[in-house]
């Protein structure tokens, strides 16, 4: 212990230049350091790299973050941060530290398979709920390893998704923190997707409200209002959900659906401006959304960028890094489903979507709407391991600054899900969800694809040694 105590005391009393050299030595010494004794809280410091806090302010260079338990207690220039003696140090120098990413629209029950019909049939034939649990474990881990420390799950059968959420919370499963909606509420929906995701069909606003009550009693974290709903349905859903402090996310594409969801007070408008909404929305609708500060999550990339990107580089489907993150049997089934991916039903309207994709995103970016970042992660070819950085890149390509896009995926996402007090920024008092990426994502946003260290709730899950 003498060496660690000595080193950090010396480091504290010295200039930051000297300290940054010491940081290279400390991790090696750590290997022989005994575990912390007594009742002292578990501490950890991340030291040396550039810090993006999640706010749209200039980065902090050569920064340090101190964690106690699962909370951040200090963050700033290393020269101004006091690292308590004996604190284990993770060297982040030469890299960038930023808040853990938040996926504002994911689905753990799918992980890139090409066809819902055959996917849900395969699940049933290969263990049913037991296989579904393995799939969700795989998805949650893939997200976490990609730097996604929190996932807003917007559609899954109720008990399985609550079970995996709670198992991750208890530390039984390594994965992103999950906020689950359970099944979505829809009208007149049918087919493999509706059945597999456990979608609930209602026939009246009263029934919609009853279903919200049922989901609230079961312990969901938010409500997803899916397709086919009327203005009165949305009103009933919002009223029932808000009674339980649950936010409502609406799955909406057409101008009429977006208008109804907006007028009824839905909290987050999901999918707007994506997937072939042609032509782009009226100026009235955009103006009302922007002036109300109502958040939108576009889910832009998953068809209209993913399809042409895959056409240019189909090799991405067999990325060895991707393969490593799958159990063999699930990987084989996903690969089999993607053999003739251009023919998949999921992409049959992509030509139209591609025609409108830029206008779809730019109408919100240029109007300075409150934009969160979500991807429909898990949908065909939209792997959890890369969905979010791809979505962020699309927003940057469509005119968002990299810093604003990162803020959207962290601070703004935390706010729009109602967790702004705990998540989304690196500052004292917040949960210690921190990732470290190679290089400078403000220079090249694709740096977000190279996540080298992941800390969630104050614990290191990837890298860091
Ligand atoms: Zn949706
Ligand atoms: Zn979805």
């Amino acid at each position: 212990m003498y060496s660690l105590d000595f080193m950090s005391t010396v480091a504290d009393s010295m200039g930051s230049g000297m300290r940054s050299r010491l940081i290279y030595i400390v991790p090696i010494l750590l290997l022989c350091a005994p575990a912390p004794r007594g009742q002292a809280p578990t501490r950890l410091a991340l030291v040396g790299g550039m810090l993006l806090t999640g706010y749209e302010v200039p980065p902090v260079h050569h920064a340090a973050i101190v964690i106690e338990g699962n909370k951040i207690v200090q963050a700033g220039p290393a020269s101004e941060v006091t690292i308590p003696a004996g604190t284990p140090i993770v060297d982040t120098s030469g890299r960038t530290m930023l808040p853990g990413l938040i996926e504002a629209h994911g689905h753990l029950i799918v992980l890139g398979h090409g066809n819902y019909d055959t996917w849900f049939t395969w699940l049933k034939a290969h263990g049913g709920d037991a296989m579904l649990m393995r799939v969700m474990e795989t998805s949650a881990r893939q997200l976490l390893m990609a730097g996604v420390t929190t996932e807003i799950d917007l559609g899954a059968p109720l008990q399985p998704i609550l079970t995996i959420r709670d198992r991750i919370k208890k530390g039984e499963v390594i994965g992103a923190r999950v906020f689950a909606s359970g099944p979505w509420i829809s009208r007149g929906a049918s087919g493999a997707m509706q059945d597999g995701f456990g979608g609930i069909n209602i026939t009246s606003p009263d029934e919609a409200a009853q279903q919200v009550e049922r989901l609230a009693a079961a312990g969901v974290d938010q409500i997803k209002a899916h397709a086919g709903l009327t203005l009165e349905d949305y009103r009933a859903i919002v009223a029932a959900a808000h009674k339980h402090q649950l936010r409502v996310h609406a799955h909406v594409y057409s101008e009429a659906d977006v208008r109804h969801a907006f007028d009824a007070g839905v909290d987050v408008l999901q999918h707007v401006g994506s997937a072939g909404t042609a032509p782009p929305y009226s100026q009235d609708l955009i103006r009302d959304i922007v002036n109300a500060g109502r958040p939108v999550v576009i889910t832009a990339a998953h068809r209209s960028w993913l399809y042409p990107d895959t056409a240019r580089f189909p090799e991405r489907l067999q990325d060895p890094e991707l393969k490593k993150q799958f159990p063999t049997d699930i990987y084989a089934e996903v690969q089999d489903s993607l053999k003739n991916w251009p023919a998949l039903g999921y992409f049959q309207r992509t030509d139209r979507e591609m025609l409108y994709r830029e206008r779809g995103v730019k109408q919100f970016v240029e109007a300075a709407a409150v934009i969160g970042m979500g991807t429909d992660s898990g949908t065909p070819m939209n792997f959890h391991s890369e969905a979010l950085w791809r979505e962020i890149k699309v927003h940057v390509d469509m005119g968002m600054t990299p810093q604003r896009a990162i803020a959207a995926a962290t601070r703004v996402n935390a706010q729009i899900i109602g967790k702004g007090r705990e998540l989304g920024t690196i500052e004292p008092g917040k949960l210690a969800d921190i990732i470290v990426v190679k290089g400078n994502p403000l220079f090249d946003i694709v740096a977000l694809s190279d996540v080298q260290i992941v800390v969630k709730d104050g614990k290191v899950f990837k890298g860091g040694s």
Side-chain angles (χ1 to χ4, degrees):
M1 276 306 278
Y2 82 91
S3 51
L4 264 180
D5 289 346
F6 172 72
M7 295 296 281
S8 25
T9 311
V10 171
D12 287 341
S13 62
M14 285 186 309
S16 56
M18 186 65 181
R19 187 194 312 203
S20 64
R21 253 166 282 138
L22 283 172
I23 288 159
Y24 291 101
I25 307 164
V26 171
I28 298 158
L29 296 172
L30 272 178
L31 296 174
C32 359
R37 288 162 300 179
Q39 301 305 307
T42 313
R43 290 202 182 94
L44 186 69
L46 281 74
V47 183
M50 179 167 88
L51 169 63
L52 305 177
T53 58
Y55 290 102
E56 289 171 72
V57 295
V60 181
H61 294 287
H62 306 296
I65 303 166
V66 180
I67 299 165
E68 253 181 41
N70 67 346
K71 296 258 175 66
I72 296 163
V73 292
Q74 290 183 71
S79 57
E80 293 171 19
V81 168
T82 310
I83 301 171
T87 303
I89 290 174
V90 174
D91 176 13
T92 66
S93 51
R95 295 176 280 180
T96 301
M97 306 185 276
L98 65 153
L101 303 174
I102 299 174
E103 164 62 82
H105 189 141
H107 297 282
L108 292 188
I109 68 164
V110 285
L111 28 63
H113 193 278
N115 180 312
Y116 293 130
D117 248 325
T118 54
W119 173 242
F120 291 116
T121 306
W122 184 83
L123 278 181
K124 274 200 194 97
H126 292 81
D129 279 354
M131 176 58 89
L132 185 60
M133 191 53 67
R134 279 184 65 214
V135 166
M136 292 190 295
E137 288 171 4
T138 305
S139 301
R141 190 187 184 105
Q142 288 179 353
L143 285 167
L144 188 64
M145 294 305 129
V148 179
T149 46
T150 300
E151 184 234 10
I152 311 309
D153 199 281
L154 289 178
L158 185 58
Q159 275 320 316
I161 195 72
L162 296 183
T163 302
I164 186 86
R165 176 194 70 181
D166 295 345
R167 289 181 65 211
I168 292 168
K169 203 185 286 179
K170 282 188 235 157
E172 293 171 14
V173 174
I174 291 175
R177 179 186 297 105
V178 173
F179 292 114
S181 67
W184 55 59
I185 297 173
S186 50
R187 241 190 212 255
S190 61
M193 189 172 97
Q194 175 78 358
D195 295 346
F197 284 81
I200 300 166
N201 271 321
I202 52 100
T203 55
S204 69
D206 280 351
E207 207 184 324
Q210 283 162 20
Q211 289 297 342
V212 173
E213 291 291 343
R214 189 176 72 84
L215 293 169
V220 301
D221 302 293
Q222 70 269 333
I223 298 293
K224 181 169 189 191
H226 204 255
L229 300 168
T230 67
L231 174 60
E232 290 310 315
D233 293 337
Y234 285 122
R235 287 203 171 118
I237 290 169
V238 169
H242 287 182
K243 214 165 68 185
H244 296 281
Q245 284 79 50
L246 296 176
R247 297 202 172 186
V248 179
H249 295 245
H251 163 115
V252 277
Y253 293 95
S254 74
E255 171 120 2
D257 284 346
V258 178
R259 172 54 77 182
H260 285 160
F262 175 80
D263 285 349
V266 158
D267 300 284
V268 184
L269 301 165
Q270 293 272 354
H271 304 303
V272 291
S274 76
T277 327
Y281 300 123
S282 68
Q283 282 306 309
D284 279 358
L285 183 60
I286 297 287
R287 190 192 56 229
D288 288 350
I289 290 171
V290 172
N291 286 343
R294 195 73 56 84
V296 300
V297 174
I298 302 176
T299 66
H302 69 302
R303 275 185 286 236
S304 37
W305 270 272
L306 205 60
Y307 184 95
D309 287 352
T310 307
R312 271 192 293 271
F313 186 64
E315 286 79 2
R316 67 173 280 270
L317 301 174
Q318 286 88 39
D319 180 345
E321 291 303 314
L322 179 74
K323 186 177 182 180
K324 267 190 233 161
Q325 297 192 44
F326 274 91
T328 319
D329 52 346
I330 300 174
Y331 184 77
E333 174 56 27
V334 170
Q335 287 294 317
D336 193 53
S337 78
L338 299 177
K339 269 189 190 140
N340 187 18
W341 63 268
L344 292 174
Y346 193 76
F347 297 109
Q348 289 320 295
R349 296 189 321 174
T350 305
D351 52 347
R352 194 181 73 182
E353 292 158 11
M354 284 166 59
L355 198 63
Y356 285 96
R357 67 182 195 174
E358 299 204 358
R359 277 172 278 180
V361 179
K362 282 180 176 166
Q363 62 191 326
F364 289 107
V365 172
E366 288 170 1
V370 176
I371 298 178
M373 211 58 82
T375 72
D376 231 347
S377 161
T379 52
M381 306 198 301
N382 193 23
F383 305 112
H384 297 294
S385 52
E386 55 176 44
L388 195 48
W389 71 256
R390 284 181 175 276
E391 183 77 20
I392 294 170
K393 174 174 159 43
V394 163
H395 282 70
V396 170
D397 290 347
M398 292 301 102
M400 239 189 199
T401 65
Q403 191 169 45
R404 186 156 173 238
I406 289 170
T410 56
R411 179 175 51 83
V412 176
N413 270 356
Q415 284 165 347
I416 70 181
I417 62 168
K419 305 289 176 192
R421 252 180 277 171
E422 304 114 84
L423 298 173
T425 60
I426 295 182
E427 58 186 316
K430 292 285 176 86
L431 289 178
D433 287 4
I434 299 158
I435 63 170
V436 179
V437 301
K438 182 173 159 63
N440 177 8
L442 301 184
F443 172 73
D444 178 2
I445 198 68
V446 177
L448 296 181
S449 69
D450 196 347
V451 175
Q452 301 192 336
I453 298 173
V454 178
V455 176
K456 188 191 81 170
D457 260 333
K459 293 192 191 75
V460 180
F461 286 92
K462 181 182 188 181
S465 58

